[in-house]
Amino acid sequence: MNPGLSNVLEKLFKKTGYDLTGYRESTLERRVVRRLHATHSTDYPTYVQILENSPEECHFLLRDLTIRVTDFFRDWSEESLCEKIWPSLAKQNSVKIWSAGCATGEETYSLALSFDRYLKQNSLGTPYEILGTDIDEASIQFAKKGEYPKEKLKDLDISDVKNSVQFKKLDLVGETFPKDIDLVVCRNVLIYFFKELQEKVLLKFYDSLKPGGFLWLGKAESLWGDSKKLFEVVDKQTNLLKKEWK
Ligand SMILES: C[S@@+](CC[C@H](N)C(=O)[O-])C[C@H]1O[C@@H](n2cnc3c(N)ncnc32)[C@H](O)[C@@H]1O
């Protein structure tokens, strides 16, 4: 890695505790250079000094490095969920879903709306909870409020599912993952990590899931290394996987 960039990441880690060294260099470099320009830093050492003295800049940098684009029902496949996931979850006594890297919560509410609709259509009352987590505190606070602009919500009404959804800050790098999950949804997050880090996180998802639990990755994401042996493909196109029974 470019030593200037590496020093920036080291300083960011010292100041915030967030370790971004496993993220893809090209994405990091582009965004750090943008912060260099924004702070009128002529080189990396000058910018490292700014990070040393400014908690505010550490915060801006962290926000720029974690990409937060999202939407309701983004890259969705209602059909796959209704055919391949919801029927098996709805049969259980209770259901726990985890939306990991949920940004401002749209994905988490979309899961709740979709499962809730499935339960109602099938006259079922299976209790369920959905946890949305993200590294970015501001996004989590926004998600908790659940107040979205009309243009984003279009005609969606999330009021009925708000009680089934919870949000908390969680860094996928290094923090303890929740347990006994029936479905982990982690889409468009791993894509920013190096393969080694992706594999580490995937193995931790495996431990989080109940036997036979499901994993939903983003379109451009896939299993790496040892994680390949631990999941079977449920739907290749949607990137839905299932934890193998061991
Ligand atoms: C592009 S958004 C994806 C949002 C949603 N999953 C979707 O597909 O629409 C990526 C999210 O991953 C979060 N993220 C990045 N690194 C993370 C980490 N180490 N731990 C937890 N979340 C992280 C970012 O803060 C951002 O909100």
Side-chain angles (χ1 to χ4, degrees):
M1 182 179 282
N2 155 358
L5 184 60
S6 164
N7 290 340
V8 168
L9 296 186
E10 199 178 306
K11 183 59 74 185
L12 188 67
F13 177 64
K14 276 202 189 124
K15 290 288 176 184
T16 66
Y18 290 117
D19 179 6
L20 271 59
T21 49
Y23 287 43
R24 281 177 202 264
E25 190 171 348
S26 52
T27 318
L28 291 177
E29 191 158 21
R30 228 178 310 125
R31 284 161 190 265
V32 170
V33 166
R34 216 189 285 161
R35 289 309 311 160
L36 254 77
H37 290 155
T39 54
H40 309 293
S41 306
T42 44
D43 51 20
Y44 282 108
T46 314
Y47 185 63
V48 169
Q49 200 51 46
I50 292 177
L51 289 177
E52 171 63 32
N53 299 321
S54 166
E56 208 184 10
E57 183 53 32
C58 291
H59 171 75
F60 288 146
L61 177 61
L62 195 63
R63 291 207 74 182
D64 274 12
L65 293 181
T66 54
I67 297 102
R68 281 161 291 121
V69 181
T70 190
D71 207 352
F72 286 99
F73 296 97
R74 176 187 188 194
D75 296 337
W76 209 251
S77 178
E78 191 66 10
E79 209 180 312
S80 297
L81 289 173
C82 289
E83 277 177 14
K84 298 183 169 142
I85 308 287
W86 297 155
S88 114
L89 297 198
K91 271 191 231 147
Q92 299 181 177
N93 293 333
S94 65
V95 174
K96 266 166 94 174
I97 298 170
W98 175 24
S99 155
C102 68
T104 34
E106 288 85 336
E107 177 182 83
T108 320
Y109 287 111
S110 303
L111 289 162
L113 289 168
S114 172
F115 191 48
D116 198 67
R117 191 161 47 203
Y118 178 86
L119 292 176
K120 284 188 178 132
Q121 277 167 358
N122 291 279
S123 312
L124 294 166
T126 317
Y128 69 93
E129 47 189 76
I130 308 190
L131 173 67
T133 66
D134 199 277
I135 193 175
D136 184 49
E137 177 69 41
S139 297
I140 287 299
Q141 291 311 327
F142 187 95
K144 275 186 184 168
K145 274 200 194 134
E147 290 167 7
Y148 297 93
K150 270 199 187 121
E151 318 81 76
K152 253 211 155 185
L153 274 172
K154 301 193 181 88
D155 55 355
L156 296 173
D157 179 4
I158 61 169
S159 51
D160 274 1
V161 296
K162 270 193 168 174
N163 285 342
S164 314
V165 169
Q166 279 181 13
F167 292 96
K168 90 172 194 196
K169 189 166 144 234
L170 189 147
D171 180 0
L172 292 171
V173 183
E175 280 193 67
T176 308
F177 286 10
K179 291 274 175 226
D180 298 323
I181 305 293
D182 297 290
L183 166 65
V184 171
V185 179
C186 185
R187 303 185 312 146
N188 310 305
V189 182
L190 297 181
I191 197 172
Y192 302 111
F193 298 175
F194 278 129
K195 284 177 191 165
E196 293 76 12
L197 181 57
Q198 292 191 25
E199 186 185 350
K200 227 176 178 177
V201 174
L202 286 162
L203 294 176
K204 284 177 77 184
F205 284 151
Y206 178 84
D207 288 337
S208 276
L209 284 165
K210 285 187 193 160
F214 297 96
L215 172 65
W216 187 10
L217 297 178
K219 270 189 183 159
E221 291 156 339
S222 49
L223 299 172
W224 290 110
D226 285 347
S227 69
K228 277 188 182 171
K229 299 178 215 144
L230 300 173
F231 294 91
E232 65 183 72
V233 177
V234 173
D235 184 344
K236 198 162 182 236
Q237 209 168 355
T238 328
N239 223 348
L240 278 171
L241 307 151
K242 187 175 184 172
K243 173 172 174 165
E244 297 235 355
W245 295 82
K246 289 268 165 200

